[in-house]
Amino acid sequence: MPHSLDPLARLMQTLTERAEKRPTGSYTTKLLEGGTAKIGKKICEEANELIEAADEPGDAGREHFIYEAGDLLFHTLVLLAHKSVNLEEVAAELARREGTSGLTEKANREKKN
C-alpha cells in the first residue's frame, strides 16, 4: 500500500482514550454518551452518503467518495471504542477469514444458525 495505516491505529487509540475519559466538549464524547443507537444512526447515515458518493463521476466524485469513506470508518471506529473492541481484534478476524470464499463463510454461518 502506498500509504501507511498508522493513522487508523492512532485514531483508534484516541477514540479508546476518549471512551475512557469522556472529555467535555468532544464530538466523540457526545456520540459515546448517545450509545449504540446514536452511533449506529451516524453509521447508517455515513454509509448512505458513501453509497451516493460512489456514483459521482470524475475526480471530484472520487475525492467525495474517499471523504465519505473516512467518515464511515471514523464512526465505525467510535462504535468499536464504545464496545471496547480494538482495531487489532477486527484485523485478526479478517486475517482468520483470509483465503476463505465469502460464499463459504456465509454458508458456514447459516449452518451454525
Side-chain angles (χ1 to χ4, degrees):
M1 287 192 148
H3 297 287
S4 172
L5 295 179
D6 288 347
L8 285 177
R10 286 192 303 270
L11 176 57
M12 189 72 229
Q13 179 61 39
T14 298
L15 295 173
T16 299
E17 290 170 6
R18 297 242 167 102
E20 292 170 1
K21 297 177 183 173
R22 306 284 174 108
T24 305
S26 163
Y27 173 66
T28 302
T29 297
K30 183 178 174 182
L31 287 171
L32 292 164
E33 289 177 352
T36 303
K38 185 173 190 84
I39 302 165
K41 184 177 179 182
K42 280 302 293 182
I43 290 172
C44 288
E45 176 186 312
E46 298 302 341
N48 284 327
E49 290 175 6
L50 177 67
I51 293 164
E52 289 171 10
D55 286 333
E56 294 175 9
D59 290 342
R62 179 179 168 78
E63 287 178 24
H64 186 214
F65 178 72
I66 292 168
Y67 179 89
E68 294 300 342
D71 280 354
L72 180 58
L73 285 172
F74 171 82
H75 288 91
T76 300
L77 293 177
V78 171
L79 186 57
L80 291 176
H82 176 66
K83 298 299 294 178
S84 300
V85 173
N86 199 293
L87 194 54
E88 285 82 12
E89 292 176 86
V90 177
E93 173 60 19
L94 292 174
R96 183 189 68 77
R97 297 182 197 178
E98 193 171 359
T100 302
S101 160
L103 296 174
T104 302
E105 179 74 23
K106 183 177 179 182
N108 290 338
R109 282 192 312 251
E110 289 172 355
K111 286 178 187 176
K112 289 179 185 177
N113 296 330

